[in-house]
Amino acid sequence: MNLDLKQYSTMHIGGLAYRILNIRSEADIISAINYADTCQKPLIVIGEGSNSIFSDEDDKFVIAHMQMKGISVKEDTAEYQIIRIAAGESWDHCVAYTVAKGLSGIESLSGIPGTAGAAPIQNIGAYGTEFSDVLVTVSAYDRIHKRFRTLKASECNLGYRDSIFKQNPNTYIITELTIRLSKSIPPIPEYASIKDQFEGQIINSALIRDVVLRTRAEKLPDYKTVPNCGSFFKNPLVTSDQFESIQKSHPNIPSFTTQSGIIKLYAGWLIEHASYKLCETENILFYEKNKLVLTNIGNASYDELLLVLSNIQKSVHELFGIQLEVEPNIFK
Ligand code: FAD
Ligand code: NAP
């Protein structure tokens, strides 16, 4: 079996895994845990590796490659359907499946790479929709209490690119999700980058999916040809006092006020104004259309990437006094 972790991360960085185990059933999960415990190696569950960076030291990890499959309708009413999705399904395949049924709720999350099982980990989001908007339950193996259990959405602490699963890494192995999707016409996403494309059109989830896929193809690199892991930093959230103080020295700084009154800054704008070019290396460049996306254009090492990330954080901190938080999951 190919143990090269470069092939299991869309950033194409990583050493050789100690072992890679395919997970196709609940029984495979128990076997993988027992195997990793016997070898005294950390067990890391992955989907498509589109938000994961691995150390390039060899033999560090046992990898559980999630491949549990299946999508079905669990409940069907006049207003909504509850869809059951196994963790190893491709997320975008699930979006396509539900949009083809005329359902709405996740069409704005079209084109996000990765598996369904990873969607709750960072509460995936795009164009104003978050996975938390539709989640009903997450089923998972709880490695602390050594049992399979089902968590209600309210127990998952889903926040901006955050969840109970992200807060407690290596604790839960997600096996299945249920999501609730509407049979009503969806609202137009209120994002300037796509809003205009809906003018004069009949709105439905298929149209929103088409517009989102087209826009993403224009603005983001295809990880199959240009290795990347999407956005490398979260948008920082600041209080109004912090914002006013930054605004004194940077009056043009763009911001978005969230429903709870917290102010979201645009990390891409902060990077663009903070000597970002000096942070690039021979192998790691910013994607020219998006300063949140770093691309591995050569054969970048793990240390090289970490250096780039820390230099970006330093230059943004020096200019704005803001500590950017790295978004992808880093396995040292
Ligand atoms: P992986 O990278 O394999 O895993 C991510 C994390 O989840 C790891 O910590 C892993 O251990 C854990 N994990 C994975 N599966 C399981 C499981 N079954 N049980 C327990 N833990 C698990 N994200 C967004 O939110 N919005 C976007 O618009 C977006 N756009 C992107 C665009 C590009 C070009 C790329 C490359 C990435 C983008 N991402 C985006 C990030 C990424 O696609 C998502 O975070 C996605 O959910 C990751 O899925 P994956 O299966 O590849 O996860
Ligand atoms: P965009 O639509 O050009 O927007 C740029 C930035 O402004 C984003 O950070 C977005 O915040 C923010 N923004 C724009 N309109 C907003 C509004 N009405 N309300 C609140 N915030 C607003 O972004 P893009 O780079 O082309 O990406 C499109 C969408 O896909 C974004 O939602 C982005 O988050 C998502 N995406 C995520 C990743 C990832 O890896 N996490 C990668 C690519 C794209 P938000 O980021 O909070 O939406």
PDB file of all heavy atoms in Angstrom, residues 180-215:
ATOM      1  N   ARG A 180     -31.062  18.463   8.031  1.00  0.00           N
ATOM      2  CA  ARG A 180     -32.448  18.773   7.671  1.00  0.00           C
ATOM      3  C   ARG A 180     -32.454  19.802   6.552  1.00  0.00           C
ATOM      4  O   ARG A 180     -31.899  20.891   6.698  1.00  0.00           O
ATOM      5  CB  ARG A 180     -33.148  19.333   8.910  1.00  0.00           C
ATOM      6  CG  ARG A 180     -34.583  19.702   8.678  1.00  0.00           C
ATOM      7  CD  ARG A 180     -35.129  20.265   9.969  1.00  0.00           C
ATOM      8  NE  ARG A 180     -36.272  21.085   9.691  1.00  0.00           N
ATOM      9  CZ  ARG A 180     -37.372  21.077  10.426  1.00  0.00           C
ATOM     10  NH1 ARG A 180     -37.474  20.315  11.489  1.00  0.00           N
ATOM     11  NH2 ARG A 180     -38.372  21.867  10.120  1.00  0.00           N
ATOM     12  N   LEU A 181     -33.058  19.444   5.431  1.00  0.00           N
ATOM     13  CA  LEU A 181     -33.075  20.341   4.273  1.00  0.00           C
ATOM     14  C   LEU A 181     -34.516  20.695   3.914  1.00  0.00           C
ATOM     15  O   LEU A 181     -35.434  19.871   4.073  1.00  0.00           O
ATOM     16  CB  LEU A 181     -32.378  19.677   3.084  1.00  0.00           C
ATOM     17  CG  LEU A 181     -30.901  19.325   3.339  1.00  0.00           C
ATOM     18  CD1 LEU A 181     -30.306  18.616   2.134  1.00  0.00           C
ATOM     19  CD2 LEU A 181     -30.085  20.563   3.664  1.00  0.00           C
ATOM     20  N   SER A 182     -34.684  21.911   3.414  1.00  0.00           N
ATOM     21  CA  SER A 182     -36.023  22.446   3.189  1.00  0.00           C
ATOM     22  C   SER A 182     -36.515  22.165   1.765  1.00  0.00           C
ATOM     23  O   SER A 182     -35.717  22.030   0.839  1.00  0.00           O
ATOM     24  CB  SER A 182     -35.953  23.952   3.442  1.00  0.00           C
ATOM     25  OG  SER A 182     -37.116  24.557   2.978  1.00  0.00           O
ATOM     26  N   LYS A 183     -37.841  22.128   1.636  1.00  0.00           N
ATOM     27  CA  LYS A 183     -38.425  22.018   0.295  1.00  0.00           C
ATOM     28  C   LYS A 183     -38.819  23.394  -0.235  1.00  0.00           C
ATOM     29  O   LYS A 183     -39.422  23.499  -1.300  1.00  0.00           O
ATOM     30  CB  LYS A 183     -39.634  21.084   0.331  1.00  0.00           C
ATOM     31  CG  LYS A 183     -39.241  19.633   0.611  1.00  0.00           C
ATOM     32  CD  LYS A 183     -40.411  18.675   0.509  1.00  0.00           C
ATOM     33  CE  LYS A 183     -39.942  17.239   0.676  1.00  0.00           C
ATOM     34  NZ  LYS A 183     -41.052  16.273   0.698  1.00  0.00           N
ATOM     35  N   SER A 184     -38.494  24.470   0.528  1.00  0.00           N
ATOM     36  CA  SER A 184     -38.839  25.838   0.092  1.00  0.00           C
ATOM     37  C   SER A 184     -37.751  26.411  -0.805  1.00  0.00           C
ATOM     38  O   SER A 184     -36.630  25.889  -0.843  1.00  0.00           O
ATOM     39  CB  SER A 184     -38.967  26.775   1.292  1.00  0.00           C
ATOM     40  OG  SER A 184     -39.791  26.211   2.241  1.00  0.00           O
ATOM     41  N   ILE A 185     -38.079  27.532  -1.440  1.00  0.00           N
ATOM     42  CA  ILE A 185     -37.091  28.223  -2.298  1.00  0.00           C
ATOM     43  C   ILE A 185     -36.057  28.891  -1.392  1.00  0.00           C
ATOM     44  O   ILE A 185     -36.415  29.582  -0.434  1.00  0.00           O
ATOM     45  CB  ILE A 185     -37.800  29.267  -3.188  1.00  0.00           C
ATOM     46  CG1 ILE A 185     -38.693  28.521  -4.184  1.00  0.00           C
ATOM     47  CG2 ILE A 185     -36.799  30.156  -3.911  1.00  0.00           C
ATOM     48  CD1 ILE A 185     -39.622  29.407  -4.957  1.00  0.00           C
ATOM     49  N   PRO A 186     -34.777  28.683  -1.673  1.00  0.00           N
ATOM     50  CA  PRO A 186     -33.752  29.273  -0.797  1.00  0.00           C
ATOM     51  C   PRO A 186     -33.580  30.771  -1.028  1.00  0.00           C
ATOM     52  O   PRO A 186     -33.871  31.260  -2.124  1.00  0.00           O
ATOM     53  CB  PRO A 186     -32.474  28.529  -1.215  1.00  0.00           C
ATOM     54  CG  PRO A 186     -32.727  28.138  -2.636  1.00  0.00           C
ATOM     55  CD  PRO A 186     -34.209  27.913  -2.787  1.00  0.00           C
ATOM     56  N   PRO A 187     -33.067  31.509   0.006  1.00  0.00           N
ATOM     57  CA  PRO A 187     -32.760  32.924  -0.215  1.00  0.00           C
ATOM     58  C   PRO A 187     -31.498  33.077  -1.048  1.00  0.00           C
ATOM     59  O   PRO A 187     -30.658  32.176  -1.072  1.00  0.00           O
ATOM     60  CB  PRO A 187     -32.526  33.462   1.200  1.00  0.00           C
ATOM     61  CG  PRO A 187     -32.156  32.266   2.013  1.00  0.00           C
ATOM     62  CD  PRO A 187     -32.775  31.062   1.364  1.00  0.00           C
ATOM     63  N   ILE A 188     -31.349  34.227  -1.722  1.00  0.00           N
ATOM     64  CA  ILE A 188     -30.115  34.509  -2.492  1.00  0.00           C
ATOM     65  C   ILE A 188     -28.987  34.777  -1.498  1.00  0.00           C
ATOM     66  O   ILE A 188     -29.174  35.542  -0.552  1.00  0.00           O
ATOM     67  CB  ILE A 188     -30.307  35.765  -3.374  1.00  0.00           C
ATOM     68  CG1 ILE A 188     -31.390  35.510  -4.421  1.00  0.00           C
ATOM     69  CG2 ILE A 188     -28.997  36.175  -4.043  1.00  0.00           C
ATOM     70  CD1 ILE A 188     -31.719  36.718  -5.269  1.00  0.00           C
ATOM     71  N   PRO A 189     -27.801  34.176  -1.677  1.00  0.00           N
ATOM     72  CA  PRO A 189     -26.693  34.485  -0.775  1.00  0.00           C
ATOM     73  C   PRO A 189     -26.319  35.969  -0.878  1.00  0.00           C
ATOM     74  O   PRO A 189     -26.160  36.488  -1.971  1.00  0.00           O
ATOM     75  CB  PRO A 189     -25.548  33.594  -1.287  1.00  0.00           C
ATOM     76  CG  PRO A 189     -26.197  32.562  -2.139  1.00  0.00           C
ATOM     77  CD  PRO A 189     -27.442  33.178  -2.687  1.00  0.00           C
ATOM     78  N   GLU A 190     -26.211  36.625   0.280  1.00  0.00           N
ATOM     79  CA  GLU A 190     -25.998  38.087   0.309  1.00  0.00           C
ATOM     80  C   GLU A 190     -24.522  38.446   0.185  1.00  0.00           C
ATOM     81  O   GLU A 190     -24.047  39.303   0.911  1.00  0.00           O
ATOM     82  CB  GLU A 190     -26.558  38.655   1.631  1.00  0.00           C
ATOM     83  CG  GLU A 190     -28.074  38.734   1.690  1.00  0.00           C
ATOM     84  CD  GLU A 190     -28.658  39.681   0.648  1.00  0.00           C
ATOM     85  OE1 GLU A 190     -28.089  40.755   0.418  1.00  0.00           O
ATOM     86  OE2 GLU A 190     -29.696  39.309   0.046  1.00  0.00           O
ATOM     87  N   TYR A 191     -23.765  37.757  -0.669  1.00  0.00           N
ATOM     88  CA  TYR A 191     -22.345  38.074  -0.814  1.00  0.00           C
ATOM     89  C   TYR A 191     -22.123  38.855  -2.101  1.00  0.00           C
ATOM     90  O   TYR A 191     -22.549  38.411  -3.177  1.00  0.00           O
ATOM     91  CB  TYR A 191     -21.516  36.773  -0.829  1.00  0.00           C
ATOM     92  CG  TYR A 191     -21.047  36.387   0.553  1.00  0.00           C
ATOM     93  CD1 TYR A 191     -21.921  36.412   1.633  1.00  0.00           C
ATOM     94  CD2 TYR A 191     -19.726  36.009   0.786  1.00  0.00           C
ATOM     95  CE1 TYR A 191     -21.493  36.073   2.910  1.00  0.00           C
ATOM     96  CE2 TYR A 191     -19.288  35.664   2.065  1.00  0.00           C
ATOM     97  CZ  TYR A 191     -20.182  35.700   3.118  1.00  0.00           C
ATOM     98  OH  TYR A 191     -19.752  35.379   4.380  1.00  0.00           O
ATOM     99  N   ALA A 192     -21.440  40.005  -1.964  1.00  0.00           N
ATOM    100  CA  ALA A 192     -21.226  40.868  -3.129  1.00  0.00           C
ATOM    101  C   ALA A 192     -20.583  40.089  -4.269  1.00  0.00           C
ATOM    102  O   ALA A 192     -20.880  40.327  -5.443  1.00  0.00           O
ATOM    103  CB  ALA A 192     -20.348  42.048  -2.728  1.00  0.00           C
ATOM    104  N   SER A 193     -19.698  39.101  -3.918  1.00  0.00           N
ATOM    105  CA  SER A 193     -18.958  38.380  -4.959  1.00  0.00           C
ATOM    106  C   SER A 193     -19.859  37.514  -5.843  1.00  0.00           C
ATOM    107  O   SER A 193     -19.433  37.093  -6.915  1.00  0.00           O
ATOM    108  CB  SER A 193     -17.856  37.525  -4.325  1.00  0.00           C
ATOM    109  OG  SER A 193     -18.370  36.735  -3.280  1.00  0.00           O
ATOM    110  N   ILE A 194     -21.105  37.233  -5.404  1.00  0.00           N
ATOM    111  CA  ILE A 194     -21.978  36.419  -6.269  1.00  0.00           C
ATOM    112  C   ILE A 194     -23.381  36.997  -6.481  1.00  0.00           C
ATOM    113  O   ILE A 194     -24.077  36.601  -7.411  1.00  0.00           O
ATOM    114  CB  ILE A 194     -22.128  34.956  -5.773  1.00  0.00           C
ATOM    115  CG1 ILE A 194     -22.622  34.879  -4.334  1.00  0.00           C
ATOM    116  CG2 ILE A 194     -20.866  34.173  -5.958  1.00  0.00           C
ATOM    117  CD1 ILE A 194     -22.981  33.440  -3.932  1.00  0.00           C
ATOM    118  N   LYS A 195     -23.758  37.927  -5.609  1.00  0.00           N
ATOM    119  CA  LYS A 195     -25.152  38.411  -5.584  1.00  0.00           C
ATOM    120  C   LYS A 195     -25.662  38.869  -6.959  1.00  0.00           C
ATOM    121  O   LYS A 195     -26.772  38.524  -7.370  1.00  0.00           O
ATOM    122  CB  LYS A 195     -25.227  39.562  -4.594  1.00  0.00           C
ATOM    123  CG  LYS A 195     -26.569  39.736  -3.971  1.00  0.00           C
ATOM    124  CD  LYS A 195     -26.529  40.838  -2.965  1.00  0.00           C
ATOM    125  CE  LYS A 195     -27.944  41.316  -2.736  1.00  0.00           C
ATOM    126  NZ  LYS A 195     -27.994  42.543  -1.998  1.00  0.00           N
ATOM    127  N   ASP A 196     -24.808  39.621  -7.671  1.00  0.00           N
ATOM    128  CA  ASP A 196     -25.234  40.199  -8.958  1.00  0.00           C
ATOM    129  C   ASP A 196     -25.611  39.128  -9.985  1.00  0.00           C
ATOM    130  O   ASP A 196     -26.390  39.379 -10.898  1.00  0.00           O
ATOM    131  CB  ASP A 196     -24.093  41.028  -9.583  1.00  0.00           C
ATOM    132  CG  ASP A 196     -23.806  42.239  -8.726  1.00  0.00           C
ATOM    133  OD1 ASP A 196     -24.591  42.461  -7.785  1.00  0.00           O
ATOM    134  OD2 ASP A 196     -22.799  42.921  -8.994  1.00  0.00           O
ATOM    135  N   GLN A 197     -25.037  37.953  -9.840  1.00  0.00           N
ATOM    136  CA  GLN A 197     -25.261  36.906 -10.846  1.00  0.00           C
ATOM    137  C   GLN A 197     -26.681  36.327 -10.807  1.00  0.00           C
ATOM    138  O   GLN A 197     -27.049  35.530 -11.660  1.00  0.00           O
ATOM    139  CB  GLN A 197     -24.239  35.782 -10.653  1.00  0.00           C
ATOM    140  CG  GLN A 197     -22.800  36.268 -10.816  1.00  0.00           C
ATOM    141  CD  GLN A 197     -21.810  35.123 -10.705  1.00  0.00           C
ATOM    142  OE1 GLN A 197     -21.932  34.142 -11.423  1.00  0.00           O
ATOM    143  NE2 GLN A 197     -20.860  35.235  -9.795  1.00  0.00           N
ATOM    144  N   PHE A 198     -27.470  36.726  -9.765  1.00  0.00           N
ATOM    145  CA  PHE A 198     -28.822  36.179  -9.664  1.00  0.00           C
ATOM    146  C   PHE A 198     -29.882  37.115 -10.235  1.00  0.00           C
ATOM    147  O   PHE A 198     -31.057  36.754 -10.300  1.00  0.00           O
ATOM    148  CB  PHE A 198     -29.152  35.875  -8.187  1.00  0.00           C
ATOM    149  CG  PHE A 198     -28.257  34.819  -7.608  1.00  0.00           C
ATOM    150  CD1 PHE A 198     -27.228  35.157  -6.742  1.00  0.00           C
ATOM    151  CD2 PHE A 198     -28.418  33.490  -7.952  1.00  0.00           C
ATOM    152  CE1 PHE A 198     -26.393  34.194  -6.222  1.00  0.00           C
ATOM    153  CE2 PHE A 198     -27.585  32.519  -7.444  1.00  0.00           C
ATOM    154  CZ  PHE A 198     -26.569  32.867  -6.579  1.00  0.00           C
ATOM    155  N   GLU A 199     -29.437  38.308 -10.648  1.00  0.00           N
ATOM    156  CA  GLU A 199     -30.414  39.308 -11.129  1.00  0.00           C
ATOM    157  C   GLU A 199     -31.224  38.774 -12.308  1.00  0.00           C
ATOM    158  O   GLU A 199     -30.659  38.237 -13.263  1.00  0.00           O
ATOM    159  CB  GLU A 199     -29.689  40.584 -11.546  1.00  0.00           C
ATOM    160  CG  GLU A 199     -29.781  41.646 -10.459  1.00  0.00           C
ATOM    161  CD  GLU A 199     -28.916  42.837 -10.756  1.00  0.00           C
ATOM    162  OE1 GLU A 199     -28.861  43.254 -11.921  1.00  0.00           O
ATOM    163  OE2 GLU A 199     -28.280  43.321  -9.793  1.00  0.00           O
ATOM    164  N   GLY A 200     -32.546  38.899 -12.206  1.00  0.00           N
ATOM    165  CA  GLY A 200     -33.442  38.495 -13.291  1.00  0.00           C
ATOM    166  C   GLY A 200     -33.578  36.986 -13.464  1.00  0.00           C
ATOM    167  O   GLY A 200     -34.120  36.526 -14.472  1.00  0.00           O
ATOM    168  N   GLN A 201     -33.099  36.209 -12.508  1.00  0.00           N
ATOM    169  CA  GLN A 201     -33.142  34.744 -12.643  1.00  0.00           C
ATOM    170  C   GLN A 201     -34.185  34.145 -11.688  1.00  0.00           C
ATOM    171  O   GLN A 201     -34.491  34.745 -10.655  1.00  0.00           O
ATOM    172  CB  GLN A 201     -31.782  34.156 -12.266  1.00  0.00           C
ATOM    173  CG  GLN A 201     -30.641  34.799 -13.006  1.00  0.00           C
ATOM    174  CD  GLN A 201     -30.027  33.814 -13.967  1.00  0.00           C
ATOM    175  OE1 GLN A 201     -30.727  33.098 -14.671  1.00  0.00           O
ATOM    176  NE2 GLN A 201     -28.723  33.767 -13.987  1.00  0.00           N
ATOM    177  N   ILE A 202     -34.680  32.970 -12.035  1.00  0.00           N
ATOM    178  CA  ILE A 202     -35.597  32.272 -11.117  1.00  0.00           C
ATOM    179  C   ILE A 202     -34.735  31.497 -10.119  1.00  0.00           C
ATOM    180  O   ILE A 202     -33.929  30.647 -10.513  1.00  0.00           O
ATOM    181  CB  ILE A 202     -36.530  31.324 -11.900  1.00  0.00           C
ATOM    182  CG1 ILE A 202     -37.408  32.159 -12.838  1.00  0.00           C
ATOM    183  CG2 ILE A 202     -37.385  30.482 -10.949  1.00  0.00           C
ATOM    184  CD1 ILE A 202     -38.128  31.348 -13.885  1.00  0.00           C
ATOM    185  N   ILE A 203     -34.918  31.853  -8.840  1.00  0.00           N
ATOM    186  CA  ILE A 203     -34.013  31.300  -7.827  1.00  0.00           C
ATOM    187  C   ILE A 203     -34.436  29.887  -7.410  1.00  0.00           C
ATOM    188  O   ILE A 203     -35.600  29.642  -7.093  1.00  0.00           O
ATOM    189  CB  ILE A 203     -34.002  32.192  -6.554  1.00  0.00           C
ATOM    190  CG1 ILE A 203     -33.635  33.631  -6.904  1.00  0.00           C
ATOM    191  CG2 ILE A 203     -33.041  31.628  -5.487  1.00  0.00           C
ATOM    192  CD1 ILE A 203     -32.295  33.800  -7.567  1.00  0.00           C
ATOM    193  N   ASN A 204     -33.483  28.996  -7.419  1.00  0.00           N
ATOM    194  CA  ASN A 204     -33.667  27.680  -6.793  1.00  0.00           C
ATOM    195  C   ASN A 204     -32.276  27.166  -6.390  1.00  0.00           C
ATOM    196  O   ASN A 204     -31.263  27.804  -6.713  1.00  0.00           O
ATOM    197  CB  ASN A 204     -34.410  26.692  -7.713  1.00  0.00           C
ATOM    198  CG  ASN A 204     -33.700  26.562  -9.054  1.00  0.00           C
ATOM    199  OD1 ASN A 204     -32.479  26.594  -9.129  1.00  0.00           O
ATOM    200  ND2 ASN A 204     -34.483  26.425 -10.113  1.00  0.00           N
ATOM    201  N   SER A 205     -32.249  26.043  -5.704  1.00  0.00           N
ATOM    202  CA  SER A 205     -30.954  25.600  -5.173  1.00  0.00           C
ATOM    203  C   SER A 205     -29.999  25.197  -6.305  1.00  0.00           C
ATOM    204  O   SER A 205     -28.784  25.371  -6.187  1.00  0.00           O
ATOM    205  CB  SER A 205     -31.123  24.471  -4.158  1.00  0.00           C
ATOM    206  OG  SER A 205     -31.933  23.466  -4.674  1.00  0.00           O
ATOM    207  N   ALA A 206     -30.544  24.713  -7.441  1.00  0.00           N
ATOM    208  CA  ALA A 206     -29.671  24.315  -8.558  1.00  0.00           C
ATOM    209  C   ALA A 206     -28.970  25.539  -9.148  1.00  0.00           C
ATOM    210  O   ALA A 206     -27.776  25.476  -9.488  1.00  0.00           O
ATOM    211  CB  ALA A 206     -30.494  23.604  -9.629  1.00  0.00           C
ATOM    212  N   LEU A 207     -29.687  26.669  -9.231  1.00  0.00           N
ATOM    213  CA  LEU A 207     -29.059  27.885  -9.767  1.00  0.00           C
ATOM    214  C   LEU A 207     -27.958  28.363  -8.811  1.00  0.00           C
ATOM    215  O   LEU A 207     -26.847  28.716  -9.246  1.00  0.00           O
ATOM    216  CB  LEU A 207     -30.113  28.986  -9.957  1.00  0.00           C
ATOM    217  CG  LEU A 207     -29.533  30.330 -10.386  1.00  0.00           C
ATOM    218  CD1 LEU A 207     -29.001  30.276 -11.822  1.00  0.00           C
ATOM    219  CD2 LEU A 207     -30.563  31.460 -10.266  1.00  0.00           C
ATOM    220  N   ILE A 208     -28.254  28.358  -7.530  1.00  0.00           N
ATOM    221  CA  ILE A 208     -27.245  28.812  -6.552  1.00  0.00           C
ATOM    222  C   ILE A 208     -26.013  27.907  -6.642  1.00  0.00           C
ATOM    223  O   ILE A 208     -24.875  28.382  -6.657  1.00  0.00           O
ATOM    224  CB  ILE A 208     -27.843  28.845  -5.119  1.00  0.00           C
ATOM    225  CG1 ILE A 208     -28.947  29.908  -5.069  1.00  0.00           C
ATOM    226  CG2 ILE A 208     -26.750  29.131  -4.072  1.00  0.00           C
ATOM    227  CD1 ILE A 208     -29.699  30.019  -3.758  1.00  0.00           C
ATOM    228  N   ARG A 209     -26.248  26.609  -6.752  1.00  0.00           N
ATOM    229  CA  ARG A 209     -25.096  25.687  -6.885  1.00  0.00           C
ATOM    230  C   ARG A 209     -24.261  26.039  -8.125  1.00  0.00           C
ATOM    231  O   ARG A 209     -23.040  26.111  -8.056  1.00  0.00           O
ATOM    232  CB  ARG A 209     -25.606  24.232  -6.955  1.00  0.00           C
ATOM    233  CG  ARG A 209     -24.494  23.217  -7.229  1.00  0.00           C
ATOM    234  CD  ARG A 209     -24.975  21.784  -7.022  1.00  0.00           C
ATOM    235  NE  ARG A 209     -23.999  20.824  -7.545  1.00  0.00           N
ATOM    236  CZ  ARG A 209     -22.892  20.446  -6.908  1.00  0.00           C
ATOM    237  NH1 ARG A 209     -22.599  20.959  -5.734  1.00  0.00           N
ATOM    238  NH2 ARG A 209     -22.056  19.585  -7.449  1.00  0.00           N
ATOM    239  N   ASP A 210     -24.934  26.268  -9.254  1.00  0.00           N
ATOM    240  CA  ASP A 210     -24.199  26.582 -10.500  1.00  0.00           C
ATOM    241  C   ASP A 210     -23.350  27.836 -10.337  1.00  0.00           C
ATOM    242  O   ASP A 210     -22.181  27.864 -10.721  1.00  0.00           O
ATOM    243  CB  ASP A 210     -25.186  26.841 -11.656  1.00  0.00           C
ATOM    244  CG  ASP A 210     -25.758  25.541 -12.183  1.00  0.00           C
ATOM    245  OD1 ASP A 210     -25.286  24.472 -11.761  1.00  0.00           O
ATOM    246  OD2 ASP A 210     -26.710  25.609 -12.993  1.00  0.00           O
ATOM    247  N   VAL A 211     -23.974  28.885  -9.757  1.00  0.00           N
ATOM    248  CA  VAL A 211     -23.256  30.164  -9.598  1.00  0.00           C
ATOM    249  C   VAL A 211     -22.058  29.974  -8.655  1.00  0.00           C
ATOM    250  O   VAL A 211     -20.948  30.446  -8.921  1.00  0.00           O
ATOM    251  CB  VAL A 211     -24.218  31.258  -9.078  1.00  0.00           C
ATOM    252  CG1 VAL A 211     -23.458  32.489  -8.612  1.00  0.00           C
ATOM    253  CG2 VAL A 211     -25.231  31.632 -10.162  1.00  0.00           C
ATOM    254  N   VAL A 212     -22.283  29.267  -7.557  1.00  0.00           N
ATOM    255  CA  VAL A 212     -21.197  29.060  -6.582  1.00  0.00           C
ATOM    256  C   VAL A 212     -20.064  28.254  -7.222  1.00  0.00           C
ATOM    257  O   VAL A 212     -18.890  28.632  -7.123  1.00  0.00           O
ATOM    258  CB  VAL A 212     -21.735  28.362  -5.302  1.00  0.00           C
ATOM    259  CG1 VAL A 212     -20.597  27.840  -4.433  1.00  0.00           C
ATOM    260  CG2 VAL A 212     -22.604  29.332  -4.501  1.00  0.00           C
ATOM    261  N   LEU A 213     -20.399  27.192  -7.945  1.00  0.00           N
ATOM    262  CA  LEU A 213     -19.343  26.358  -8.566  1.00  0.00           C
ATOM    263  C   LEU A 213     -18.543  27.170  -9.586  1.00  0.00           C
ATOM    264  O   LEU A 213     -17.320  27.084  -9.634  1.00  0.00           O
ATOM    265  CB  LEU A 213     -19.948  25.123  -9.234  1.00  0.00           C
ATOM    266  CG  LEU A 213     -20.444  24.015  -8.295  1.00  0.00           C
ATOM    267  CD1 LEU A 213     -21.077  22.878  -9.090  1.00  0.00           C
ATOM    268  CD2 LEU A 213     -19.316  23.473  -7.417  1.00  0.00           C
ATOM    269  N   ARG A 214     -19.270  27.974 -10.369  1.00  0.00           N
ATOM    270  CA  ARG A 214     -18.590  28.771 -11.398  1.00  0.00           C
ATOM    271  C   ARG A 214     -17.672  29.809 -10.751  1.00  0.00           C
ATOM    272  O   ARG A 214     -16.518  29.975 -11.139  1.00  0.00           O
ATOM    273  CB  ARG A 214     -19.658  29.462 -12.261  1.00  0.00           C
ATOM    274  CG  ARG A 214     -19.177  29.850 -13.624  1.00  0.00           C
ATOM    275  CD  ARG A 214     -20.285  30.296 -14.563  1.00  0.00           C
ATOM    276  NE  ARG A 214     -21.200  31.264 -13.977  1.00  0.00           N
ATOM    277  CZ  ARG A 214     -22.517  31.103 -13.938  1.00  0.00           C
ATOM    278  NH1 ARG A 214     -23.083  30.021 -14.417  1.00  0.00           N
ATOM    279  NH2 ARG A 214     -23.296  32.030 -13.406  1.00  0.00           N
ATOM    280  N   THR A 215     -18.186  30.478  -9.707  1.00  0.00           N
ATOM    281  CA  THR A 215     -17.391  31.527  -9.046  1.00  0.00           C
ATOM    282  C   THR A 215     -16.166  30.923  -8.373  1.00  0.00           C
ATOM    283  O   THR A 215     -15.063  31.464  -8.453  1.00  0.00           O
ATOM    284  CB  THR A 215     -18.267  32.266  -8.005  1.00  0.00           C
ATOM    285  OG1 THR A 215     -19.467  32.652  -8.648  1.00  0.00           O
ATOM    286  CG2 THR A 215     -17.568  33.483  -7.448  1.00  0.00           C
TER     287      THR A 215
END
